[in-house]
């Protein structure tokens, strides 16, 4: 059984005439092209620490099997805005699990997509902790309720957005939480 003790966030964008090659270029920009990536669901392990991308990459070897929560989006339509975001929410207790969420959309800026992903992760965590809230309230209002409860201490996100290029080549965006 493998329970990660560290995690880092990364993101990237790639542009190429071939869809798969644009994904490879996005992985390269994110710094995770050298690994065999295995997609996992959205639980942030207990006692797992967020580290910088640089520190996390130092612990990985090319060819390693690496677990990730990844959001990915692509377009070959000129000027179409594509985004991919990972949201993160952690409870106060370090020995309890948190949540990650992935979100991908068209027509959303990095800020909108990122905040949506952060909202998703925080809402999933809040429901498991029994925090009462009105789901129809704006994210900023719910964020204050979550944090005021004293049971959710940190929420964050990482997001990559890009517009499709004018010549119709593929543009791929990705955001990932990478477990070490």
């Amino acid at each position: 059984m493998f329970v990660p003790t560290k995690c880092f966030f990364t993101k990237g964008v790639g542009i190429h005439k071939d869809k798969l090659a644009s994904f490879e270029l996005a992985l390269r920009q994110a710094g995770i092209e050298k690994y065999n990536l295995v997609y996992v669901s959205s639980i942030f392990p207990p006692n797992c620490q967020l580290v910088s991308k640089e520190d996390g990459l130092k612990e990985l070897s090319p060819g390693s099997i690496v677990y990730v929560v990844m959001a990915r989006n692509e377009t070959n339509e000129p000027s179409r805005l594509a985004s991919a975001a990972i949201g993160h929410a952690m409870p106060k207790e370090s020995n309890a699990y948190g949540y990650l969420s992935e979100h991908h959309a068209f027509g959303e800026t990095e800020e909108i997509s990122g905040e949506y992903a952060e909202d998703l992760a925080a809402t999933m965590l809040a429901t498991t902790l029994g925090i009462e809230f009105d789901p129809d309230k704006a994210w900023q209002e719910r964020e204050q309720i979550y944090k005021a409860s004293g049971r959710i201490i940190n929420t964050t996100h990482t997001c990559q957005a890009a517009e499709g290029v004018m010549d119709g080549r593929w543009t791929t965006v990705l955001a990932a939480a990478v477990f070490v």
Side-chain angles (χ1 to χ4, degrees):
M1 173 173 59
F2 171 70
V3 179
T5 58
K6 297 177 185 172
C7 179
F8 65 90
F9 295 118
T10 189
K11 61 184 182 175
V13 60
I15 300 169
H16 196 276
K17 68 180 180 73
D18 297 314
K19 189 176 185 179
L20 182 60
S22 74
F23 177 54
E24 168 69 14
L25 293 174
L27 289 171
R28 288 181 187 179
Q29 189 176 80
I32 54 175
E33 79 285 0
K34 300 173 191 164
Y35 313 108
N36 291 302
L37 305 177
V38 177
Y39 292 23
V40 296
S41 63
S42 304
I43 298 299
F44 193 88
N47 302 308
C48 187
Q49 294 182 328
L50 280 178
V51 298
S52 70
K53 175 181 163 182
E54 294 74 25
D55 288 345
L57 288 172
K58 287 177 188 173
E59 298 195 34
L60 301 175
S61 301
S64 297
I65 294 173
V66 177
Y67 297 99
V68 298
V69 174
M70 184 183 294
R72 168 183 170 183
N73 205 354
E74 59 255 327
T75 185
N76 66 348
E77 297 175 42
S79 300
R80 187 166 196 196
L81 182 61
S83 62
I86 297 292
H88 175 238
M90 283 303 302
K92 182 178 182 180
E93 302 81 20
S94 64
N95 63 343
Y97 66 89
Y99 274 92
L100 294 163
S101 67
E102 58 273 5
H103 174 65
H104 55 273
F106 292 108
E108 291 182 359
T109 63
E110 281 190 15
E111 181 180 7
I112 291 170
S113 225
E115 285 186 357
Y116 185 85
E118 187 173 340
D119 180 4
L120 283 173
T123 299
M124 288 188 291
L125 181 57
T127 59
T128 64
L129 295 175
I131 298 171
E132 293 188 26
F133 63 93
D134 180 351
D136 295 324
K137 296 273 187 197
W139 158 237
Q140 288 77 11
E141 291 178 62
R142 284 183 285 114
E143 180 181 25
Q144 295 308 312
I145 291 168
Y146 298 160
K147 290 182 178 178
S149 74
R151 300 182 68 198
I152 296 179
I153 60 162
N154 186 37
T155 65
T156 189
H157 67 265
T158 188
C159 183
Q160 180 70 62
E163 287 188 5
V165 294
M166 296 308 291
D167 62 10
R169 289 178 294 158
W170 284 96
T171 299
T172 299
V173 292
L174 67 84
V178 181
F179 291 112
V180 180

